[in-house]
Amino acid sequence: MKKLLILSMLLMSAVVLAQLPSWGMTEQQYKMPNRPAKLEDIGKEAVNNKWQLKVIAPQAWHSNIRAGLSKGGERNVMMTFKDSLHQSVSITATKAKYMGQTVKSSGNNQVVQKQVVIDDKPEIDTTVERPEFGDEFMAGKPTVAEVEIDMALPKSEHKVVKNAPKPTKTVSQPKPVQKPVVKPEPKSVAVVEVEPEAGEVETEEERADEVRDAAKTYLRKRYAKNKKANGTLSYGSITEDDELYIKDNVVLIVREKNSRTFYYWMKGTFDQSVHAIKHKSQERYEKTEAAVAVVKAASSKADDSKSEVVERTSLVFTAVDDVSSDQDVLRRDHIRNKAVTKAYSAEQLKSGDLVYTRNDTALVVRRLSRTNEIYFWLKGDVNITENIEMMKPDEFKIK
């Protein structure tokens, strides 16, 4: 019966202790910016529930933890501290051993007060091992305390003499007036509404560019084996043998030549009312034979009827140097298939240079002497409106 009674008392003690929470904090969590707010919440909860907090932490952290729990001294939190060899914080809530109940008796305008003194502070147990913390940060989970409770009176309490004799009749002393805690006024921070810069606001053009880039990425991954395109082609350069893949009006051109596959982007966007392209399956298209015939007829008519050719006095376009099919035609027709390895901008042109064009590809022939010539491709924007002479529809001379 005696053993059963002792066991029941131990179980009841464990239940009471299990109702009190504890908190843990690792070194990384201690250094986080939200540490003061978390400690302030723990201190507030301790004051509301009249708990005493037992803190085990490195000595260097005690002052910061004390300031956080008491909110810089504004809140009267009962707490004790013990040094720890581990870089971690353990906070345990215990029932505070308060000063005994104060009994007041009044008579003849005199007040008698009696206070019961708490027991001596127990010895500090230095054998407490480092607590293991879970992933949840500062979670106030109830736990059973397995160590001795380290008690101490808050510094703000009145000093009490142990075993004080019961006072008889004393003149009531006025209660000490606590000086109000002056909170430092927070520095006023002027809030300035900064208008977003022009580059921060997404324009319609930027949104269109995003859609176009997304379509190119999709087409390149799905139909070009994620390879980089070989360049760009105009609509007029597309033949009926080319495979076309269209996504969000972006056209990927797949061209087979000499058992090799080349990938190009069509200049501009696909316009069904302008471009004669017919649908084959899913995202696959091809240029109609009628559209190709119209382009060929227009080209042959321009060659046969020189009288109808309007003489051009300017050369304005964007030159590319990566369309091998057009380059092959220009090298064959004008420089006897000689190799061309250089590419320069239009600013490098000089007087006397001959410029041969095909679609958006331009070959430049510069004669150094009667027997010596150099060749290069034009690359980039070409805007020549003066000092130019058209020799043939696709041949120009820089004056």
Side-chain angles (χ1 to χ4, degrees):
M1 185 66 182
K2 185 176 181 180
K3 293 182 178 180
L4 181 61
L5 181 60
I6 294 174
L7 181 61
S8 300
M9 293 176 65
L10 291 175
L11 290 175
M12 291 177 63
S13 300
V15 170
V16 172
L17 290 173
Q19 295 176 352
L20 298 179
S22 65
W23 299 265
M25 189 186 304
T26 63
E27 180 181 8
Q28 183 179 3
Q29 294 167 341
Y30 174 80
K31 294 179 179 180
M32 293 178 65
N34 61 346
R35 166 175 54 83
K38 294 295 182 182
L39 293 176
E40 182 181 336
D41 293 340
I42 296 174
K44 182 179 179 181
E45 187 176 357
V47 172
N48 294 338
N49 294 279
K50 298 180 179 180
W51 292 335
Q52 177 161 330
L53 301 179
K54 180 177 180 180
V55 182
I56 302 175
Q59 181 68 33
W61 297 0
H62 287 185
S63 59
N64 292 334
I65 297 175
R66 180 181 290 106
L69 292 173
S70 63
K71 196 179 179 182
E74 297 179 15
R75 187 178 291 116
N76 186 14
V77 182
M78 293 183 291
M79 66 187 89
T80 61
F81 286 84
K82 185 162 62 176
D83 192 11
S84 172
L85 299 178
H86 304 289
Q87 297 297 312
S88 60
V89 181
S90 175
I91 304 175
T92 305
T94 61
K95 281 201 170 183
K97 291 185 178 180
Y98 289 99
M99 298 297 298
Q101 182 178 4
T102 301
V103 180
K104 297 182 180 179
S105 61
S106 59
N108 297 327
N109 296 327
Q110 294 181 348
V111 178
V112 180
Q113 296 183 347
K114 178 181 179 181
Q115 292 181 327
V116 180
V117 183
I118 63 173
D119 296 334
D120 292 337
K121 179 179 177 181
E123 296 294 331
I124 297 176
D125 186 3
T126 59
T127 62
V128 179
E129 297 181 356
R130 177 182 179 181
E132 296 293 336
F133 306 131
D135 295 333
E136 185 177 0
F137 174 66
M138 297 300 291
K141 294 184 177 179
T143 182
V144 178
E146 296 180 355
V147 298
E148 294 183 7
I149 301 176
D150 192 3
M151 297 295 298
L153 288 177
K155 293 183 178 180
S156 61
E157 292 290 338
H158 299 293
K159 185 176 180 181
V160 180
V161 181
K162 298 173 60 177
N163 300 326
K166 180 178 179 181
T168 55
K169 293 183 179 180
T170 58
V171 180
S172 60
Q173 298 292 334
K175 294 183 178 180
V177 179
Q178 295 183 351
K179 296 182 179 181
V181 179
V182 180
K183 297 183 180 179
E185 296 184 359
K187 296 181 179 180
S188 59
V189 181
V191 179
V192 180
E193 297 183 358
V194 181
E195 296 183 358
E197 298 180 0
E200 297 179 356
V201 180
E202 189 177 26
T203 63
E204 292 292 338
E205 183 178 355
E206 290 176 343
R207 283 193 288 269
D209 290 340
E210 291 179 359
V211 173
R212 186 159 48 251
D213 292 341
K216 284 187 175 182
T217 301
Y218 169 81
L219 293 173
R220 184 170 58 250
K221 288 182 178 180
R222 184 174 177 85
Y223 300 107
K225 301 178 182 179
N226 214 20
K227 294 182 179 179
K228 186 178 179 181
N230 297 95
T232 58
L233 291 177
S234 62
Y235 170 73
S237 302
I238 301 174
T239 67
E240 69 271 19
D241 296 327
D242 295 332
E243 292 288 346
L244 309 178
Y245 298 93
I246 302 177
K247 173 72 173 178
D248 294 334
N249 295 331
V250 176
V251 182
L252 173 66
I253 305 168
V254 181
R255 175 172 293 178
E256 298 287 344
K257 183 179 180 182
N258 298 332
S259 300
R260 294 181 59 189
T261 304
F262 299 89
Y263 303 97
Y264 304 95
W265 299 112
M266 189 186 81
K267 286 187 176 182
T269 57
F270 170 65
D271 187 350
Q272 193 172 5
S273 62
V274 176
H275 302 135
I277 296 176
K278 66 179 181 179
H279 181 261
K280 294 181 69 176
S281 62
Q282 294 183 348
E283 297 166 340
R284 186 181 177 190
Y285 296 78
E286 67 177 0
K287 193 172 183 179
T288 62
E289 296 180 2
V292 175
V294 169
V295 174
K296 289 183 178 179
S299 178
S300 60
K301 184 177 180 180
D303 293 337
D304 296 337
S305 305
K306 293 184 179 180
S307 59
E308 298 180 6
V309 175
V310 179
E311 183 176 357
R312 295 168 57 184
T313 59
S314 63
L315 196 60
V316 180
F317 69 105
T318 301
V320 297
D321 64 338
D322 51 8
V323 182
S324 57
S325 58
D326 292 341
Q327 290 178 344
D328 292 342
V329 173
L330 292 173
R331 290 190 303 107
R332 183 190 63 225
D333 294 345
H334 302 289
I335 60 173
R336 301 176 299 282
N337 272 334
K338 292 182 180 180
V340 182
T341 60
K342 303 292 184 179
Y344 299 105
S345 63
E347 297 175 354
Q348 304 296 323
L349 291 174
K350 295 183 179 180
S351 176
D353 288 346
L354 294 177
V355 182
Y356 301 96
T357 62
R358 179 177 175 82
N359 297 324
D360 296 320
T361 303
L363 172 65
V364 180
V365 178
R366 178 175 296 172
R367 178 164 294 180
L368 302 178
S369 64
R370 295 182 59 183
T371 58
N372 190 14
E373 294 178 339
I374 61 172
Y375 317 106
F376 59 89
W377 306 110
L378 280 183
K379 184 177 182 180
D381 293 335
V382 180
N383 187 10
I384 304 174
T385 58
E386 296 179 355
N387 300 324
I388 187 171
E389 179 183 359
M390 188 178 77
M391 312 296 291
K392 295 180 181 179
D394 294 326
E395 180 180 347
F396 302 86
K397 184 177 181 180
I398 307 298
K399 294 183 180 180

